[in-house]
Amino acid sequence: MAKILVTGGAGYIGSHTCLELLEQGYDVVVVDDLSNASLESLRRVEQLSGKSLVFHEVSLLDRDALRAVFKKEGELDAVIHFAAKKSVKESVENPLLYYQNNITGSLVLCEVMQEFGLSRIVFSSSATVYGTNGEMPLREGAQTGAVNPYGQTKLMMEQILKDVGGVNAWDVVLLRYFNPVGAHASGQIGEDPEYPFNLLPFVSQVAAGLREEVSIFGDDYDTEDGTGVRDYIHVVDLAKAHVQAIANILTKEFEGKSGSKGETLTYNLGTGRGYSVKEMIEAFRRISGKEVKAVVQPRREGDVAVSIADPTYSNEHLGWKAELGLDEMVRSAWKWQTQHPKGYRS
Ligand code: WQD
């Protein structure tokens, strides 16, 4: 079976994707510097799948170490590239850290891929590349325009992969995530942020009594209840989309199908259904049975009112459709929270 290199595979979306890859019979090699992830996540992925994976603690900024991994692992069939810093707030406060880590790290990966003749990559992009584009729901051809350094790094990497992929006849798949939430149904792996900047992990910690209350950043948006609306997508649905993308680009080659190499495919990964902040908090109260105190605060800098995907193109051309709904997103997040209150640190 094909061997997939997963950068950032110990992280939230990375670990869920490694689990899906192993369950589909792929061999998995993870490269992660563990700067924002725990090795424990991969131990649990192995336990859950009953399979083993190979792990190298390597930073993409260390070209020699990455080359050594490519040399040691021999024939790699594709890369799924997750490794990146992803806090919008932190990127605004420290743009150099984001350009250094996300862009330079990705360039080193591209150089080593080119050197070893690896020509297939699935890239973890983000709906943040659409910036404040107001045309909802968002289709892949919508105007892009990142409004923070984090989003800029994603947009730049998309362009770099298009250019490098084009000249090298690589197969490139760009996956633009909307709002990833939830956890594997087992409650054994999940999101474990240093600080819960995102809504759902914050609400989860309030429900667990780890935090006093959740701030609702603005209730004066032009939405039904005045609070921000987002297209939340279950992390397991997201993981399955990555495995589908890998299968598509490998099958094209493996079955000798005439697939034009050097094409870049872009897919929005969302459900097409938006939920407001208040609806998410209400869903958490309903499913957890906890109070979840919420207080309205001023808007957060850089937030858009609404961000919702049009998943039609992904459904038809990637051959993937989100299947898990709001209740399962919340239920799985709550199960992870209650089973592992301190994430992987407990
Ligand atoms: C969702 C909604 C907030 C926290 C970001 C990145 C995006 C992706 C996902 C990486 C908004 C509101 C939030 C809180 C709140 N990350 N909110 N109180 O900002 O849509 O997307 O994370 O790829 O790139 O931009 O996600 O969960 O922070 O916010 O009211 O404590 O919840 O205003 O309306 P966001 P979020």
Side-chain angles (χ1 to χ4, degrees):
M1 192 56 160
K3 189 191 281 191
I4 314 298
L5 178 73
V6 183
T7 76
Y12 172 42
I13 303 167
S15 55
H16 283 81
T17 302
C18 286
L19 178 54
E20 289 299 324
L21 285 168
L22 289 172
E23 288 181 339
Q24 293 298 320
Y26 289 96
D27 292 328
V28 172
V29 177
V30 172
V31 160
D32 199 308
D33 65 4
L34 300 182
S35 61
N36 185 27
S38 158
L39 195 49
E40 179 62 19
S41 67
L42 294 178
R43 203 180 63 76
R44 294 188 193 169
V45 163
E46 291 186 316
Q47 275 179 337
L48 288 166
S49 62
K51 308 237 175 102
S52 60
L53 55 76
V54 175
F55 171 71
H56 298 277
E57 185 174 352
V58 162
S59 160
L60 296 187
L61 295 172
D62 184 344
R63 181 185 286 101
D64 292 343
L66 186 62
R67 292 185 72 252
V69 169
F70 273 66
K71 262 199 184 126
K72 183 170 168 37
E73 294 303 332
E75 190 63 29
L76 291 166
D77 295 290
V79 179
I80 303 180
H81 180 28
F82 291 107
K85 290 192 174 299
K86 62 168 190 170
S87 163
V88 169
K89 183 173 182 294
E90 187 184 38
S91 80
V92 171
E93 292 160 359
N94 191 347
L96 184 58
L97 174 69
Y98 272 66
Y99 289 114
Q100 180 68 15
N101 191 80
N102 293 5
I103 300 294
T104 308
S106 299
L107 289 175
V108 170
L109 174 65
C110 288
E111 286 170 353
V112 178
M113 281 177 65
Q114 201 169 268
E115 180 187 344
F116 284 81
L118 182 45
S119 63
R120 302 179 196 91
I121 181 166
V122 173
F123 176 62
S124 164
S125 191
S126 167
T128 202
V129 302
Y130 293 115
T132 53
N133 181 318
E135 51 180 283
M136 292 299 148
L138 285 160
R139 296 177 65 84
E140 285 78 359
Q143 181 68 39
T144 55
V147 292
N148 54 65
Y150 162 72
Q152 290 292 4
T153 66
K154 290 299 183 182
L155 201 48
M156 288 174 188
M157 269 322 299
E158 288 194 0
Q159 189 56 56
I160 289 166
L161 287 170
K162 280 178 192 152
D163 294 341
V164 175
V167 79
N168 285 296
W170 288 1
D171 273 324
V172 177
V173 179
L174 309 174
L175 299 179
R176 291 175 176 169
Y177 311 160
F178 277 70
N179 286 61
V181 291
H184 186 258
S186 65
Q188 291 308 307
I189 57 175
E191 192 171 8
D192 185 20
E194 284 288 307
Y195 178 85
F197 287 108
N198 294 135
L199 179 67
L200 217 64
F202 202 106
V203 169
S204 188
Q205 291 187 15
V206 172
L210 300 174
R211 293 185 188 278
E212 192 56 34
E213 63 195 18
V214 61
S215 303
I216 296 177
F217 293 141
D219 65 350
D220 57 349
Y221 284 104
D222 182 16
T223 62
E224 210 166 295
D225 64 18
T227 63
V229 172
R230 295 291 183 276
D231 187 333
Y232 296 96
I233 176 166
H234 196 294
V235 66
V236 171
D237 276 328
L238 212 49
K240 290 181 190 293
H242 290 75
V243 180
Q244 186 62 53
I246 286 285
N248 292 359
I249 52 178
L250 289 177
T251 316
K252 190 171 66 171
E253 288 266 303
F254 279 23
E255 289 170 7
K257 279 184 194 160
S258 63
S260 61
K261 292 290 282 180
E263 60 179 335
T264 294
L265 299 164
T266 304
Y267 301 107
N268 282 346
L269 298 187
T271 66
R273 170 83 164 84
Y275 290 100
S276 74
V277 175
K278 283 184 178 170
E279 286 176 313
M280 295 302 280
I281 294 171
E282 206 35 58
F284 221 101
R285 286 173 178 147
R286 172 169 50 82
I287 287 173
S288 69
K290 301 292 182 182
E291 184 210 346
V292 186
K293 198 158 164 252
V295 178
V296 176
Q297 300 286 356
R299 291 182 177 191
R300 180 175 67 175
E301 183 70 27
D303 272 350
V304 295
V306 178
S307 170
I308 296 176
D310 177 340
T312 314
Y313 186 78
S314 292
N315 300 162
E316 287 169 9
H317 296 273
L318 177 58
W320 162 91
K321 187 174 170 58
E323 292 166 358
L324 299 168
L326 177 63
D327 281 13
E328 185 46 32
M329 292 177 200
V330 173
R331 194 178 302 121
S332 60
W334 181 233
K335 184 171 181 182
W336 159 250
Q337 176 68 55
T338 50
Q339 287 191 2
H340 300 282
K342 293 194 178 65
Y344 295 112
R345 284 177 285 276
S346 51

